[in-house]
């Protein structure tokens, strides 16, 4: 099963090393062998019936995923403050937990607000808290109620400055918890790819509605022709660049210009957006793991 994120988790830490990131706006050029791999995927596609069933049961598959793996699958994302300095404490007015909470479970209007969309078990928000970046009132939502329960049970969860809730970001559910124009920052990291492409626009429109004027969305996801995309076998492809994993979860692989166009179409300004090419070498196992991500920052105009 292709890795859901870094591709390096399977390697012993002492034998794996990163060669650094290549930042580019160019889509990977495929070799003949890679083109043949993609052509092979088309020989047996996911049936329309199966594709519709996967869409109906998306919440169930992610709930089962977290039932099996709990907090063990994804590594904590300690890299996010390096890539997205907007998350650093010094970028926000300092506040403490006692100042963040008000009676209705929301912060005062003067407090910076952050929403982690597709929070999983909190692999982004809890490293932020561990590193002392507590200047946000943090909202965290996920399609999976089981994932939200695991966030709420975490020893660092504190309802004085956090609120976790289950919702489907492709629908209006989120507005039952959050008001329009209420967020300074939203993170969308390895989340949009798990959503059906027909719902990309609605998802981004909902996020646009949530952002304050000047608010920024921090984005990272799988890039076109990433190693994981090339490794899918026949029987896993749902549509162009959209695949089913063995466990019933799904993944889409984005082009850089595709992401920019989608964000622009719903009203965002593109601050920065590019492919990130990363190679992790495992010398002991003689394995070279080339990964491709798309990473960007998108701003709601003032």
């Amino acid at each position: 099963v292709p890795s859901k994120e870094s591709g390096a988790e399977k390697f012993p830490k002492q034998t794996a090393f990163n060669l650094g990131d290549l930042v580019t706006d160019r889509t990977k050029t495929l070799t003949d062998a890679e083109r043949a791999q993609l052509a092979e995927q088309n020989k047996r596609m996911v049936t329309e019936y199966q594709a519709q069933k996967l869409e109906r049961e998306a919440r169930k598959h992610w709930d089962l995923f977290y039932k099996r793996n709990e907090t063990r699958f994804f590594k904590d994302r300690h890299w996010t403050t390096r890539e997205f300095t907007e998350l650093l404490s010094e970028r926000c007015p300092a506040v403490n937990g006692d100042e963040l909470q008000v009676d209705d479970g929301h912060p005062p209007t003067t407090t910076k607000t952050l929403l982690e969309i597709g929070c999983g078990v909190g692999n982004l928000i809890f490293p932020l808290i561990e590193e002392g970046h507590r200047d946000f009132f943090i909202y965290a939502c996920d399609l999976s109620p089981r994932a939200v329960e695991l966030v709420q049970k975490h020893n660092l969860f504190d309802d004085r400055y956090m609120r976790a809730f289950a919702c489907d970001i492709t629908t209006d559910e989120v507005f039952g918890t959050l008001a329009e124009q209420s967020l300074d920052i939203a993170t969308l990291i390895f989340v949009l790819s798990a959503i059906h492409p027909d719902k990309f626009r609605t998802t981004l429109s909902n996020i646009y509605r949530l952002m304050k004027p000047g608010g920024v969305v921090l984005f990272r996801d799988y890039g076109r022709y990433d190693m994981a995309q090339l490794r899918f076998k026949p029987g896993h492809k749902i549509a162009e660049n959209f695949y089913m994993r063995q466990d019933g979860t799904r993944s889409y692989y984005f082009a850089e210009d595709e992401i920019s166009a989608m964000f622009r179409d719903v009203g965002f300004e593109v601050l920065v957006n590019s492919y990130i090419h990363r190679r992790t070498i495992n010398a002991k196992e003689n394995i070279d793991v080339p990964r491709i991500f798309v990473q960007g920052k998108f701003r709601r105009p003032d």
Side-chain angles (χ1 to χ4, degrees), residues 85 103 135 247 286:
T85 55
D103 291 341
D135 299 341
D247 62 5
N286 194 29

PDB file of all heavy atoms in Angstrom, residues 85 103 135 247 286:
ATOM      1  N   THR A  85       6.135  29.810   8.371  1.00  0.00           N
ATOM      2  CA  THR A  85       6.503  30.640   9.524  1.00  0.00           C
ATOM      3  C   THR A  85       5.294  31.360  10.115  1.00  0.00           C
ATOM      4  O   THR A  85       5.373  31.878  11.231  1.00  0.00           O
ATOM      5  CB  THR A  85       7.576  31.669   9.132  1.00  0.00           C
ATOM      6  OG1 THR A  85       7.102  32.439   8.015  1.00  0.00           O
ATOM      7  CG2 THR A  85       8.879  30.976   8.755  1.00  0.00           C
ATOM      8  N   ASP A 103     -17.201  32.005  27.256  1.00  0.00           N
ATOM      9  CA  ASP A 103     -18.246  31.086  27.696  1.00  0.00           C
ATOM     10  C   ASP A 103     -18.813  30.199  26.604  1.00  0.00           C
ATOM     11  O   ASP A 103     -19.218  29.077  26.853  1.00  0.00           O
ATOM     12  CB  ASP A 103     -19.389  31.878  28.347  1.00  0.00           C
ATOM     13  CG  ASP A 103     -18.964  32.489  29.667  1.00  0.00           C
ATOM     14  OD1 ASP A 103     -17.958  32.004  30.222  1.00  0.00           O
ATOM     15  OD2 ASP A 103     -19.616  33.437  30.124  1.00  0.00           O
ATOM     16  N   ASP A 135      -0.188  30.788  20.772  1.00  0.00           N
ATOM     17  CA  ASP A 135      -0.768  32.111  20.586  1.00  0.00           C
ATOM     18  C   ASP A 135      -2.074  32.088  19.799  1.00  0.00           C
ATOM     19  O   ASP A 135      -2.690  33.128  19.611  1.00  0.00           O
ATOM     20  CB  ASP A 135       0.225  33.028  19.874  1.00  0.00           C
ATOM     21  CG  ASP A 135       1.493  33.210  20.692  1.00  0.00           C
ATOM     22  OD1 ASP A 135       1.437  32.949  21.907  1.00  0.00           O
ATOM     23  OD2 ASP A 135       2.514  33.594  20.129  1.00  0.00           O
ATOM     24  N   ASP A 247      -6.901   0.049   1.785  1.00  0.00           N
ATOM     25  CA  ASP A 247      -7.784   0.150   2.940  1.00  0.00           C
ATOM     26  C   ASP A 247      -9.076   0.926   2.660  1.00  0.00           C
ATOM     27  O   ASP A 247      -9.858   1.194   3.567  1.00  0.00           O
ATOM     28  CB  ASP A 247      -7.053   0.779   4.131  1.00  0.00           C
ATOM     29  CG  ASP A 247      -6.577   2.208   3.859  1.00  0.00           C
ATOM     30  OD1 ASP A 247      -6.903   2.751   2.776  1.00  0.00           O
ATOM     31  OD2 ASP A 247      -5.892   2.777   4.726  1.00  0.00           O
ATOM     32  N   ASN A 286      19.653   0.141   0.254  1.00  0.00           N
ATOM     33  CA  ASN A 286      19.856   0.513  -1.144  1.00  0.00           C
ATOM     34  C   ASN A 286      18.548   0.957  -1.803  1.00  0.00           C
ATOM     35  O   ASN A 286      18.194   0.508  -2.892  1.00  0.00           O
ATOM     36  CB  ASN A 286      20.487  -0.653  -1.930  1.00  0.00           C
ATOM     37  CG  ASN A 286      21.023  -0.193  -3.276  1.00  0.00           C
ATOM     38  OD1 ASN A 286      21.421   0.961  -3.424  1.00  0.00           O
ATOM     39  ND2 ASN A 286      21.010  -1.085  -4.255  1.00  0.00           N
TER      40      ASN A 286
END
